[in-house]
mmCIF file of all heavy atoms in Angstrom:
data_model
loop_
_atom_site.group_PDB
_atom_site.id
_atom_site.type_symbol
_atom_site.label_atom_id
_atom_site.label_comp_id
_atom_site.label_asym_id
_atom_site.label_seq_id
_atom_site.Cartn_x
_atom_site.Cartn_y
_atom_site.Cartn_z
ATOM 1 N N MET V 1 -1.127 12.723 1.910
ATOM 2 C CA MET V 1 -1.084 11.971 3.104
ATOM 3 C C MET V 1 -1.339 10.472 2.696
ATOM 4 O O MET V 1 -2.292 10.167 2.069
ATOM 5 C CB MET V 1 -2.140 12.363 4.177
ATOM 6 C CG MET V 1 -1.926 13.679 4.804
ATOM 7 S SD MET V 1 -2.968 13.951 6.225
ATOM 8 C CE MET V 1 -4.615 13.537 5.606
ATOM 9 N N HIS V 2 -0.313 9.602 3.008
ATOM 10 C CA HIS V 2 -0.514 8.222 2.609
ATOM 11 C C HIS V 2 -0.162 7.330 3.869
ATOM 12 O O HIS V 2 0.997 7.201 4.252
ATOM 13 C CB HIS V 2 0.505 7.882 1.469
ATOM 14 C CG HIS V 2 -0.053 8.410 0.140
ATOM 15 N ND1 HIS V 2 -0.742 7.609 -0.713
ATOM 16 C CD2 HIS V 2 0.076 9.561 -0.437
ATOM 17 C CE1 HIS V 2 -1.033 8.331 -1.791
ATOM 18 N NE2 HIS V 2 -0.531 9.531 -1.688
ATOM 19 N N HIS V 3 -1.198 6.634 4.266
ATOM 20 C CA HIS V 3 -1.008 5.607 5.252
ATOM 21 C C HIS V 3 -2.266 4.741 5.346
ATOM 22 O O HIS V 3 -3.379 5.191 5.329
ATOM 23 C CB HIS V 3 -0.791 6.273 6.677
ATOM 24 C CG HIS V 3 -0.428 5.256 7.657
ATOM 25 N ND1 HIS V 3 -1.309 4.656 8.559
ATOM 26 C CD2 HIS V 3 0.774 4.748 8.049
ATOM 27 C CE1 HIS V 3 -0.644 3.814 9.359
ATOM 28 N NE2 HIS V 3 0.591 3.818 9.041
ATOM 29 N N GLU V 4 -2.043 3.441 5.333
ATOM 30 C CA GLU V 4 -3.047 2.428 5.473
ATOM 31 C C GLU V 4 -3.096 1.953 6.886
ATOM 32 O O GLU V 4 -2.087 1.341 7.280
ATOM 33 C CB GLU V 4 -2.852 1.329 4.499
ATOM 34 C CG GLU V 4 -4.023 0.498 4.109
ATOM 35 C CD GLU V 4 -3.635 -0.418 2.900
ATOM 36 O OE1 GLU V 4 -2.580 -1.065 2.905
ATOM 37 O OE2 GLU V 4 -4.439 -0.462 1.985
ATOM 38 N N SER V 5 -4.113 2.201 7.650
ATOM 39 C CA SER V 5 -4.050 2.077 9.141
ATOM 40 C C SER V 5 -4.857 0.769 9.550
ATOM 41 O O SER V 5 -6.061 0.736 9.370
ATOM 42 C CB SER V 5 -4.665 3.287 9.784
ATOM 43 O OG SER V 5 -4.034 4.486 9.335
ATOM 44 N N ASN V 6 -4.127 -0.124 10.091
ATOM 45 C CA ASN V 6 -4.718 -1.379 10.531
ATOM 46 C C ASN V 6 -5.097 -1.355 11.998
ATOM 47 O O ASN V 6 -4.227 -1.260 12.917
ATOM 48 C CB ASN V 6 -3.650 -2.508 10.289
ATOM 49 C CG ASN V 6 -4.199 -3.938 10.560
ATOM 50 O OD1 ASN V 6 -4.927 -4.127 11.431
ATOM 51 N ND2 ASN V 6 -3.812 -4.840 9.719
ATOM 52 N N SER V 7 -6.365 -1.336 12.295
ATOM 53 C CA SER V 7 -6.819 -1.203 13.684
ATOM 54 C C SER V 7 -6.540 -2.357 14.530
ATOM 55 O O SER V 7 -6.617 -2.383 15.752
ATOM 56 C CB SER V 7 -8.336 -0.836 13.735
ATOM 57 O OG SER V 7 -9.109 -1.905 13.297
ATOM 58 N N PHE V 8 -6.236 -3.534 13.871
ATOM 59 C CA PHE V 8 -5.914 -4.759 14.718
ATOM 60 C C PHE V 8 -4.444 -4.834 15.104
ATOM 61 O O PHE V 8 -4.004 -5.697 15.845
ATOM 62 C CB PHE V 8 -6.279 -5.973 13.892
ATOM 63 C CG PHE V 8 -7.737 -6.076 13.559
ATOM 64 C CD1 PHE V 8 -8.258 -5.768 12.287
ATOM 65 C CD2 PHE V 8 -8.716 -6.419 14.534
ATOM 66 C CE1 PHE V 8 -9.595 -5.885 11.989
ATOM 67 C CE2 PHE V 8 -10.048 -6.451 14.215
ATOM 68 C CZ PHE V 8 -10.431 -6.181 12.974
ATOM 69 N N ASN V 9 -3.662 -3.886 14.567
ATOM 70 C CA ASN V 9 -2.221 -3.805 14.911
ATOM 71 C C ASN V 9 -2.044 -2.850 16.110
ATOM 72 O O ASN V 9 -2.500 -1.671 16.008
ATOM 73 C CB ASN V 9 -1.437 -3.265 13.654
ATOM 74 C CG ASN V 9 -0.003 -3.084 13.895
ATOM 75 O OD1 ASN V 9 0.515 -3.185 14.989
ATOM 76 N ND2 ASN V 9 0.721 -2.751 12.836
ATOM 77 N N PRO V 10 -1.414 -3.265 17.133
ATOM 78 C CA PRO V 10 -1.325 -2.341 18.366
ATOM 79 C C PRO V 10 -0.373 -1.163 18.223
ATOM 80 O O PRO V 10 -0.346 -0.312 19.012
ATOM 81 C CB PRO V 10 -0.854 -3.320 19.421
ATOM 82 C CG PRO V 10 -0.129 -4.392 18.712
ATOM 83 C CD PRO V 10 -0.878 -4.663 17.427
ATOM 84 N N ILE V 11 0.509 -1.228 17.150
ATOM 85 C CA ILE V 11 1.437 -0.142 16.973
ATOM 86 C C ILE V 11 0.745 1.155 16.666
ATOM 87 O O ILE V 11 -0.211 1.152 15.824
ATOM 88 C CB ILE V 11 2.492 -0.514 15.845
ATOM 89 C CG1 ILE V 11 3.278 -1.771 16.179
ATOM 90 C CG2 ILE V 11 3.380 0.715 15.598
ATOM 91 C CD1 ILE V 11 4.215 -2.169 15.039
ATOM 92 N N VAL V 12 1.116 2.223 17.297
ATOM 93 C CA VAL V 12 0.621 3.543 16.913
ATOM 94 C C VAL V 12 1.708 4.255 16.133
ATOM 95 O O VAL V 12 2.778 4.473 16.544
ATOM 96 C CB VAL V 12 0.297 4.367 18.160
ATOM 97 C CG1 VAL V 12 -0.195 5.805 17.785
ATOM 98 C CG2 VAL V 12 -0.813 3.670 18.964
ATOM 99 N N ALA V 13 1.393 4.514 14.870
ATOM 100 C CA ALA V 13 2.336 5.110 13.973
ATOM 101 C C ALA V 13 2.458 6.589 14.192
ATOM 102 O O ALA V 13 1.522 7.336 14.311
ATOM 103 C CB ALA V 13 1.923 4.893 12.496
ATOM 104 N N GLY V 14 3.766 7.077 14.312
ATOM 105 C CA GLY V 14 3.938 8.510 14.667
ATOM 106 C C GLY V 14 5.103 9.100 13.839
ATOM 107 O O GLY V 14 5.427 8.545 12.760
ATOM 108 N N GLU V 15 5.601 10.130 14.348
ATOM 109 C CA GLU V 15 6.578 10.934 13.636
ATOM 110 C C GLU V 15 7.713 10.110 13.082
ATOM 111 O O GLU V 15 8.207 10.315 11.948
ATOM 112 C CB GLU V 15 7.189 12.030 14.564
ATOM 113 C CG GLU V 15 8.123 12.982 13.923
ATOM 114 C CD GLU V 15 8.542 14.130 14.820
ATOM 115 O OE1 GLU V 15 8.104 14.109 16.003
ATOM 116 O OE2 GLU V 15 9.334 14.950 14.371
ATOM 117 N N ASN V 16 8.233 9.131 13.892
ATOM 118 C CA ASN V 16 9.391 8.395 13.450
ATOM 119 C C ASN V 16 9.088 7.355 12.350
ATOM 120 O O ASN V 16 10.045 6.852 11.677
ATOM 121 C CB ASN V 16 10.010 7.658 14.645
ATOM 122 C CG ASN V 16 10.623 8.579 15.692
ATOM 123 O OD1 ASN V 16 11.042 9.653 15.349
ATOM 124 N ND2 ASN V 16 10.591 8.132 16.968
ATOM 125 N N ASP V 17 7.850 7.116 12.092
ATOM 126 C CA ASP V 17 7.400 6.197 11.079
ATOM 127 C C ASP V 17 7.172 6.831 9.722
ATOM 128 O O ASP V 17 7.144 6.168 8.713
ATOM 129 C CB ASP V 17 6.122 5.402 11.494
ATOM 130 C CG ASP V 17 6.344 4.627 12.797
ATOM 131 O OD1 ASP V 17 7.073 3.678 12.643
ATOM 132 O OD2 ASP V 17 5.781 5.057 13.771
ATOM 133 N N PHE V 18 7.003 8.173 9.731
ATOM 134 C CA PHE V 18 6.649 8.908 8.491
ATOM 135 C C PHE V 18 7.838 9.595 7.870
ATOM 136 O O PHE V 18 8.705 10.086 8.527
ATOM 137 C CB PHE V 18 5.531 9.984 8.805
ATOM 138 C CG PHE V 18 4.220 9.399 8.852
ATOM 139 C CD1 PHE V 18 3.687 8.752 10.023
ATOM 140 C CD2 PHE V 18 3.271 9.476 7.798
ATOM 141 C CE1 PHE V 18 2.467 8.226 10.109
ATOM 142 C CE2 PHE V 18 2.036 8.976 7.921
ATOM 143 C CZ PHE V 18 1.577 8.326 9.017
ATOM 144 N N ASN V 19 7.812 9.647 6.574
ATOM 145 C CA ASN V 19 8.707 10.506 5.822
ATOM 146 C C ASN V 19 7.883 11.703 5.439
ATOM 147 O O ASN V 19 6.804 11.625 4.869
ATOM 148 C CB ASN V 19 9.278 9.778 4.548
ATOM 149 C CG ASN V 19 10.159 10.740 3.773
ATOM 150 O OD1 ASN V 19 9.690 11.504 2.975
ATOM 151 N ND2 ASN V 19 11.407 10.645 4.012
ATOM 152 N N VAL V 20 8.370 12.859 5.801
ATOM 153 C CA VAL V 20 7.661 14.116 5.604
ATOM 154 C C VAL V 20 8.430 15.077 4.617
ATOM 155 O O VAL V 20 9.574 15.226 4.860
ATOM 156 C CB VAL V 20 7.302 14.859 6.871
ATOM 157 C CG1 VAL V 20 6.614 16.205 6.626
ATOM 158 C CG2 VAL V 20 6.553 14.030 7.844
ATOM 159 N N MET V 21 7.815 15.471 3.541
ATOM 160 C CA MET V 21 8.467 16.365 2.644
ATOM 161 C C MET V 21 7.745 17.697 2.646
ATOM 162 O O MET V 21 6.514 17.781 2.784
ATOM 163 C CB MET V 21 8.386 15.781 1.144
ATOM 164 C CG MET V 21 9.165 14.424 1.020
ATOM 165 S SD MET V 21 9.385 14.073 -0.774
ATOM 166 C CE MET V 21 7.673 14.112 -1.397
ATOM 167 N N ARG V 22 8.525 18.763 2.354
ATOM 168 C CA ARG V 22 7.992 20.112 2.311
ATOM 169 C C ARG V 22 8.676 20.848 1.183
ATOM 170 O O ARG V 22 9.795 20.611 0.812
ATOM 171 C CB ARG V 22 8.212 20.830 3.675
ATOM 172 C CG ARG V 22 7.603 20.149 4.819
ATOM 173 C CD ARG V 22 7.960 20.828 6.094
ATOM 174 N NE ARG V 22 7.251 20.281 7.316
ATOM 175 C CZ ARG V 22 7.667 19.282 8.039
ATOM 176 N NH1 ARG V 22 8.785 18.604 7.695
ATOM 177 N NH2 ARG V 22 6.914 18.870 9.071
ATOM 178 N N GLY V 23 7.941 21.782 0.660
ATOM 179 C CA GLY V 23 8.408 22.822 -0.283
ATOM 180 C C GLY V 23 9.132 22.177 -1.454
ATOM 181 O O GLY V 23 8.639 21.349 -2.203
ATOM 182 N N LYS V 24 10.451 22.557 -1.658
ATOM 183 C CA LYS V 24 11.194 22.148 -2.837
ATOM 184 C C LYS V 24 11.325 20.668 -2.967
ATOM 185 O O LYS V 24 11.535 20.091 -4.016
ATOM 186 C CB LYS V 24 12.617 22.816 -2.715
ATOM 187 C CG LYS V 24 13.562 22.552 -3.923
ATOM 188 C CD LYS V 24 14.778 23.350 -3.822
ATOM 189 C CE LYS V 24 15.770 23.083 -4.916
ATOM 190 N NZ LYS V 24 16.393 21.748 -4.809
ATOM 191 N N GLU V 25 11.244 19.895 -1.834
ATOM 192 C CA GLU V 25 11.355 18.486 -1.845
ATOM 193 C C GLU V 25 10.322 17.840 -2.716
ATOM 194 O O GLU V 25 10.472 16.707 -3.321
ATOM 195 C CB GLU V 25 11.254 17.933 -0.428
ATOM 196 C CG GLU V 25 12.403 18.278 0.491
ATOM 197 C CD GLU V 25 12.220 17.771 1.842
ATOM 198 O OE1 GLU V 25 11.243 18.190 2.474
ATOM 199 O OE2 GLU V 25 13.071 16.938 2.375
ATOM 200 N N PHE V 26 9.193 18.462 -2.920
ATOM 201 C CA PHE V 26 8.123 17.958 -3.837
ATOM 202 C C PHE V 26 8.753 17.813 -5.236
ATOM 203 O O PHE V 26 8.421 16.836 -5.935
ATOM 204 C CB PHE V 26 6.969 18.915 -3.873
ATOM 205 C CG PHE V 26 5.910 18.678 -2.797
ATOM 206 C CD1 PHE V 26 6.322 18.579 -1.467
ATOM 207 C CD2 PHE V 26 4.605 18.638 -3.113
ATOM 208 C CE1 PHE V 26 5.404 18.459 -0.469
ATOM 209 C CE2 PHE V 26 3.635 18.484 -2.030
ATOM 210 C CZ PHE V 26 4.048 18.357 -0.740
ATOM 211 N N PHE V 27 9.515 18.786 -5.636
ATOM 212 C CA PHE V 27 10.056 18.788 -7.047
ATOM 213 C C PHE V 27 11.350 17.950 -7.156
ATOM 214 O O PHE V 27 11.712 17.478 -8.249
ATOM 215 C CB PHE V 27 10.281 20.161 -7.449
ATOM 216 C CG PHE V 27 9.112 21.088 -7.178
ATOM 217 C CD1 PHE V 27 9.148 22.065 -6.201
ATOM 218 C CD2 PHE V 27 7.894 20.942 -7.912
ATOM 219 C CE1 PHE V 27 8.057 22.950 -5.964
ATOM 220 C CE2 PHE V 27 6.806 21.788 -7.604
ATOM 221 C CZ PHE V 27 6.851 22.720 -6.654
ATOM 222 N N ASP V 28 12.017 17.783 -6.062
ATOM 223 C CA ASP V 28 13.276 17.018 -6.021
ATOM 224 C C ASP V 28 13.021 15.442 -5.983
ATOM 225 O O ASP V 28 13.950 14.683 -6.111
ATOM 226 C CB ASP V 28 14.156 17.405 -4.867
ATOM 227 C CG ASP V 28 14.702 18.805 -4.963
ATOM 228 O OD1 ASP V 28 14.698 19.393 -6.133
ATOM 229 O OD2 ASP V 28 15.050 19.398 -3.995
ATOM 230 N N ASN V 29 11.800 15.089 -5.701
ATOM 231 C CA ASN V 29 11.465 13.658 -5.470
ATOM 232 C C ASN V 29 10.385 13.201 -6.476
ATOM 233 O O ASN V 29 9.529 12.420 -6.026
ATOM 234 C CB ASN V 29 11.046 13.376 -4.082
ATOM 235 C CG ASN V 29 12.205 13.519 -3.024
ATOM 236 O OD1 ASN V 29 13.008 12.558 -2.936
ATOM 237 N ND2 ASN V 29 12.382 14.653 -2.414
ATOM 238 N N ILE V 30 10.457 13.608 -7.736
ATOM 239 C CA ILE V 30 9.537 13.133 -8.703
ATOM 240 C C ILE V 30 9.957 11.640 -8.976
ATOM 241 O O ILE V 30 11.060 11.372 -9.374
ATOM 242 C CB ILE V 30 9.649 13.922 -10.013
ATOM 243 C CG1 ILE V 30 9.186 15.428 -9.784
ATOM 244 C CG2 ILE V 30 8.724 13.308 -11.096
ATOM 245 C CD1 ILE V 30 7.766 15.589 -9.300
ATOM 246 N N ARG V 31 8.962 10.711 -8.771
ATOM 247 C CA ARG V 31 9.317 9.308 -8.816
ATOM 248 C C ARG V 31 8.345 8.624 -9.759
ATOM 249 O O ARG V 31 7.156 9.019 -9.921
ATOM 250 C CB ARG V 31 9.318 8.663 -7.486
ATOM 251 C CG ARG V 31 10.271 9.269 -6.459
ATOM 252 C CD ARG V 31 10.118 8.678 -5.084
ATOM 253 N NE ARG V 31 8.847 8.941 -4.455
ATOM 254 C CZ ARG V 31 8.170 8.170 -3.659
ATOM 255 N NH1 ARG V 31 8.572 7.002 -3.433
ATOM 256 N NH2 ARG V 31 7.078 8.627 -3.100
ATOM 257 N N GLU V 32 8.753 7.489 -10.293
ATOM 258 C CA GLU V 32 7.861 6.615 -11.022
ATOM 259 C C GLU V 32 6.857 5.962 -10.030
ATOM 260 O O GLU V 32 7.169 5.741 -8.930
ATOM 261 C CB GLU V 32 8.661 5.479 -11.728
ATOM 262 C CG GLU V 32 9.622 6.005 -12.860
ATOM 263 C CD GLU V 32 10.330 4.877 -13.541
ATOM 264 O OE1 GLU V 32 10.128 3.652 -13.099
ATOM 265 O OE2 GLU V 32 11.093 5.103 -14.409
ATOM 266 N N ASN V 33 5.668 5.747 -10.589
ATOM 267 C CA ASN V 33 4.655 4.988 -9.825
ATOM 268 C C ASN V 33 4.359 5.646 -8.491
ATOM 269 O O ASN V 33 4.256 5.034 -7.435
ATOM 270 C CB ASN V 33 4.969 3.493 -9.657
ATOM 271 C CG ASN V 33 3.707 2.704 -9.320
ATOM 272 O OD1 ASN V 33 2.635 2.971 -9.844
ATOM 273 N ND2 ASN V 33 3.836 1.667 -8.520
ATOM 274 N N ASP V 34 4.198 6.967 -8.541
ATOM 275 C CA ASP V 34 3.946 7.799 -7.313
ATOM 276 C C ASP V 34 2.840 8.800 -7.674
ATOM 277 O O ASP V 34 2.966 9.576 -8.612
ATOM 278 C CB ASP V 34 5.219 8.430 -6.836
ATOM 279 C CG ASP V 34 4.934 9.434 -5.664
ATOM 280 O OD1 ASP V 34 4.458 8.978 -4.672
ATOM 281 O OD2 ASP V 34 5.141 10.623 -5.887
ATOM 282 N N SER V 35 1.749 8.731 -6.966
ATOM 283 C CA SER V 35 0.590 9.529 -7.339
ATOM 284 C C SER V 35 0.887 11.068 -7.088
ATOM 285 O O SER V 35 0.438 11.926 -7.857
ATOM 286 C CB SER V 35 -0.633 9.172 -6.519
ATOM 287 O OG SER V 35 -0.472 9.161 -5.135
ATOM 288 N N LEU V 36 1.647 11.392 -6.042
ATOM 289 C CA LEU V 36 1.938 12.779 -5.847
ATOM 290 C C LEU V 36 2.805 13.285 -6.966
ATOM 291 O O LEU V 36 2.636 14.427 -7.463
ATOM 292 C CB LEU V 36 2.719 12.939 -4.533
ATOM 293 C CG LEU V 36 3.245 14.333 -4.214
ATOM 294 C CD1 LEU V 36 2.112 15.349 -4.134
ATOM 295 C CD2 LEU V 36 4.058 14.359 -2.867
ATOM 296 N N SER V 37 3.759 12.512 -7.452
ATOM 297 C CA SER V 37 4.551 12.872 -8.643
ATOM 298 C C SER V 37 3.705 13.075 -9.859
ATOM 299 O O SER V 37 3.869 14.026 -10.694
ATOM 300 C CB SER V 37 5.643 11.869 -8.918
ATOM 301 O OG SER V 37 6.579 11.762 -7.805
ATOM 302 N N GLY V 38 2.698 12.186 -9.991
ATOM 303 C CA GLY V 38 1.706 12.336 -11.162
ATOM 304 C C GLY V 38 1.000 13.624 -11.078
ATOM 305 O O GLY V 38 0.772 14.310 -12.125
ATOM 306 N N VAL V 39 0.556 14.065 -9.857
ATOM 307 C CA VAL V 39 -0.164 15.321 -9.756
ATOM 308 C C VAL V 39 0.813 16.477 -10.065
ATOM 309 O O VAL V 39 0.453 17.392 -10.885
ATOM 310 C CB VAL V 39 -0.679 15.540 -8.274
ATOM 311 C CG1 VAL V 39 -1.142 16.879 -8.066
ATOM 312 C CG2 VAL V 39 -1.827 14.491 -8.005
ATOM 313 N N VAL V 40 1.918 16.510 -9.443
ATOM 314 C CA VAL V 40 2.904 17.654 -9.585
ATOM 315 C C VAL V 40 3.336 17.841 -11.026
ATOM 316 O O VAL V 40 3.272 18.935 -11.574
ATOM 317 C CB VAL V 40 4.119 17.496 -8.644
ATOM 318 C CG1 VAL V 40 5.198 18.479 -8.956
ATOM 319 C CG2 VAL V 40 3.663 17.542 -7.228
ATOM 320 N N LYS V 41 3.826 16.709 -11.649
ATOM 321 C CA LYS V 41 4.313 16.808 -12.996
ATOM 322 C C LYS V 41 3.267 17.277 -14.022
ATOM 323 O O LYS V 41 3.570 18.071 -14.874
ATOM 324 C CB LYS V 41 4.993 15.461 -13.423
ATOM 325 C CG LYS V 41 5.798 15.618 -14.707
ATOM 326 C CD LYS V 41 6.548 14.317 -15.012
ATOM 327 C CE LYS V 41 7.488 14.519 -16.200
ATOM 328 N NZ LYS V 41 6.766 15.017 -17.416
ATOM 329 N N THR V 42 2.063 16.677 -13.905
ATOM 330 C CA THR V 42 0.940 17.007 -14.769
ATOM 331 C C THR V 42 0.609 18.482 -14.728
ATOM 332 O O THR V 42 0.401 19.155 -15.782
ATOM 333 C CB THR V 42 -0.266 16.073 -14.551
ATOM 334 O OG1 THR V 42 0.137 14.802 -14.637
ATOM 335 C CG2 THR V 42 -1.342 16.395 -15.579
ATOM 336 N N LEU V 43 0.538 19.019 -13.497
ATOM 337 C CA LEU V 43 0.143 20.406 -13.354
ATOM 338 C C LEU V 43 1.291 21.335 -13.907
ATOM 339 O O LEU V 43 1.030 22.315 -14.487
ATOM 340 C CB LEU V 43 -0.109 20.688 -11.846
ATOM 341 C CG LEU V 43 -1.415 20.085 -11.258
ATOM 342 C CD1 LEU V 43 -1.419 20.290 -9.791
ATOM 343 C CD2 LEU V 43 -2.658 20.649 -11.952
ATOM 344 N N MET V 44 2.478 20.942 -13.640
ATOM 345 C CA MET V 44 3.716 21.742 -14.076
ATOM 346 C C MET V 44 3.743 21.738 -15.601
ATOM 347 O O MET V 44 3.970 22.773 -16.229
ATOM 348 C CB MET V 44 5.004 21.223 -13.438
ATOM 349 C CG MET V 44 5.111 21.502 -11.999
ATOM 350 S SD MET V 44 6.592 20.794 -11.306
ATOM 351 C CE MET V 44 7.884 21.677 -12.155
#
């Protein structure tokens, strides 16, 4: 879960603001400079 939430900003971030990945997408989106990718690749 990655979001930096600014309480002085009136926007409420919801479903349309987030990119959600599930299952196989974890392995299809191994990226540079991404902590989730670092976790997944190191464990694999």
Side-chain angles (χ1 to χ4, degrees):
M1 292 192 309
H2 283 266
H3 189 264
E4 202 168 46
S5 307
N6 186 320
S7 67
F8 298 105
N9 178 353
I11 298 173
V12 177
E15 182 176 2
N16 293 333
D17 299 290
F18 278 81
N19 179 275
V20 180
M21 296 194 304
R22 298 174 174 89
K24 184 173 176 289
E25 292 177 299
F26 276 48
F27 311 111
D28 294 339
N29 288 279
I30 299 294
R31 299 176 293 146
E32 294 181 359
N33 202 34
D34 173 60
S35 55
L36 176 60
S37 296
V39 169
V40 171
K41 190 172 187 307
T42 304
L43 292 173
M44 290 175 63

